[in-house]
Structures are given as C-alpha cells and as structure tokens.
Amino acid sequence: RIRQGLKKTSQVLNTDVRDLFKSEGRLIDEDFLDDLRAILFKTDMGYDPTEELVAEVAKNMRGRVVHMTDVIDVLKTKLKELMAQDESPITYAASGPTVIMVCGVNGAGKTTSIAKLACMFKGQGKSVVLGAGDTFRAAAVEQLGIWADRLGVECVKGPEGSHPATVAYQAVEYALNNNIEVCIVDTAGRLQTQKNLMSELTKIRDSIRKQIPEAPHEALLVLDATTGQNGISQANNFAEAAGCTGIVLAKLDGTAKGGVVVAIRQQIGLPVKYIGFGEQHEDLVLFNPDKFVDEMFD
Ligand code: GDP
C-alpha cells in the first residue's frame, strides 16, 4: 500500500533516471550530473540535499561508465544517511490517557489523519475518544463525527460556538472518566495571524494541562505533501505555536514531491512520525525512512 502511495514519486524518479541510461552503461560526466540534479530537484527535496546527492554520485563515479543500478544504489545510501531518523511512534502516557493534539491548516488533511490515527489505535486494541476542537468550522465537527461513527469511537463535541479549549477540556475529561487510553484533540486550522494562532493553541494546551499536567503527550502537525516545499515555512510557525512533537505527512499519493520528507528532515527540527497516502482510514503507516527510500526508487 505504501508503494501505491509513493507511485507518483517513484514513477518520476525511475522513468527519468532510466531515460538517462539509454544504453547499458553510461559515462558519468557533467551532462549526466546536470540532468540528475534536475530530476532530483523535481521531487522537492530541496537545494542542499539535491547537491549532496549529486556530489556523492560525482565523488564515486565521475569519469566512469556505470549502470543505472549503481547510481541508484549510491543515491539510496546517501538519502538514508541524510534522513538519519529512526521510526518515531507515538509516546504514550506512563499511566492514564495519552492526549494527542493535532494541528495544521485547513485542508491539509487534519480530519482524515485523525480518523486514520484513531483507526490505527483501535487496531492496536486501544480505546479512543476524539475531541472535535475545530469549532470554527461546523463542517469539520460534522466530518469528525461521521468518522467517529464509522470507526465506532466516541466523539466529544461542544455546543455550537464553543471555544476549542472547552471542547479539548471536555474530551480529556471524558477520557479520564471513562478510562479511555487515547484522546485525540482536533484544533482550529485558521492561520490568520501568527499571534492569533499562537494564543488559540496555547489556550487549548492549557485547558488540557488543567487535568493532566504532562499532556499533551504529542502535538502532531499535519502537512499536505502536495504543497511540497511551500509547506515548510508554515510548518515552522505551527511547530513554534503548538510545541509540535512530530509531523503527519498527508496526501503522499497525490504528488511526485515525495522528496519533501528529506526537506522536512533538514529544515524542521521535527520527526515525520506517520505518512498518509489515501482517503481511507487505513491509509496511514508509521514512517520508516529506509523503507521510504526503497519505495521511492522501486
Ligand atoms: P482538513 O481540512 O485539514 O481537516 O482536511 P481533510 O481531512 O478534510 O482533508 C481534505 C481533503 O483531502 C479531503 O477531501 C480528504 O479526503 C483528502 N485527503 C486527506 N488525506 C489524504 C491523503 O492522504 N490522500 C489523499 N489522496 N487525499 C487525502
């Protein structure tokens, strides 16, 4: 399934790299390196990683006639080195409910990612409650409710017009009173001004802490992979405002910009924890950099 999700990225990489090798072997010269640079750049991994990969190929192979697989092997090894991250699953509370706050701009895939996470926890045999904290959008509250019904989990919704922090409080309260293991709190995705966003997310965080001082145990930022590099500055704003602990990268199936995970790794000091690659609730996996790189070139 991940392979399907990365199909657009791997198609670009494989088709274009294969095109560079019209015959069996190919001389690694400046023309080749320029073309390779252009291909890598298309995956949106960013300037520095692209240059590092090209330099690695040049260092190992310039002036030699090599096969495509030799180049791909060098690229894969270097990419894995650049990502240098272990799998980074959710950190659970030592006891009591684990509270996960989820943020991101509207449309990034927040609601769907919450449903996917809930489905994953349920699959692990954990009880889950959702907090519909995106109270500025009636549709978001409704959509989360629909997912909750479909997945058979509880969804705490405030009365219309309630503050996101109130809903967050009630969701945590519900989790505590009902011995629920995981409480996932949605937040508003308005990015009107940095100050406004910051104060809203801080209020949500504070209301959660009133009941569980060490919560939220995770604050996940959902990023839309199709926005590629453009999502990164936005990510930095959120990371600061919400004290994010990790990233859920959604919509990888919709883009050839899968290289953006490398850019994220380099430009945001947060691990990619999960990747989403479809609209269904099972289309989410724990991010494993080695597997990801292998799939990029599969
Ligand atoms: P939110 O506004 O951030 O809550 O975003 P939603 O979760 O409502 O998602 C916005 C749109 O993107 C919806 O049509 C989703 O079905 C779609 N979507 C979300 N995640 C993915 C994904 O991983 N892959 C694809 N192809 N679509 C997705």
Side-chain angles (χ1 to χ4, degrees), residues 103-116 134 137 139-140 143-144 147 186-187 189 222-224 226 249-255 275-280 283-284:
C103 28
V105 292
N106 293 343
K110 201 158 50 77
T111 312
T112 314
S113 297
I114 290 173
K116 290 173 180 176
D134 192 352
R137 291 191 301 166
Q143 191 60 37
L144 200 64
W147 275 118
D186 194 5
T187 65
V222 178
L223 283 185
D224 180 345
T226 63
L249 190 60
K251 306 192 199 177
L252 269 167
D253 55 309
T255 180
I275 52 175
F277 45 84
E279 293 185 279
Q280 304 306 316
D283 295 334
L284 179 97

Side-chain angles (χ1 to χ4, degrees), residues 163 165 190 193-206 241-242:
H163 194 279
R190 303 182 309 170
T193 65
Q194 169 80 356
K195 196 162 154 259
N196 177 297
L197 172 79
M198 190 121 51
S199 79
E200 227 151 65
L201 293 172
T202 306
K203 276 182 201 151
I204 296 174
R205 182 174 274 276
D206 288 348

Side-chain angles (χ1 to χ4, degrees), residues 6-17 296 298:
L6 273 174
K7 214 166 130 200
K8 288 197 180 168
T9 301
S10 65
Q11 261 171 1
V12 167
L13 274 174
N14 286 328
T15 313
D16 291 4
V17 174
M296 268 173 93
D298 202 50

Side-chain angles (χ1 to χ4, degrees), residues 4-5 9 40 43 77 84 87 94 109 111 114 117 155 165 186 194 262 289:
Q4 197 62 25
T9 301
L40 295 173
T43 70
T77 307
E87 282 184 350
T111 312
I114 290 173
L117 287 166
C155 182
D186 194 5
Q194 169 80 356
V262 186

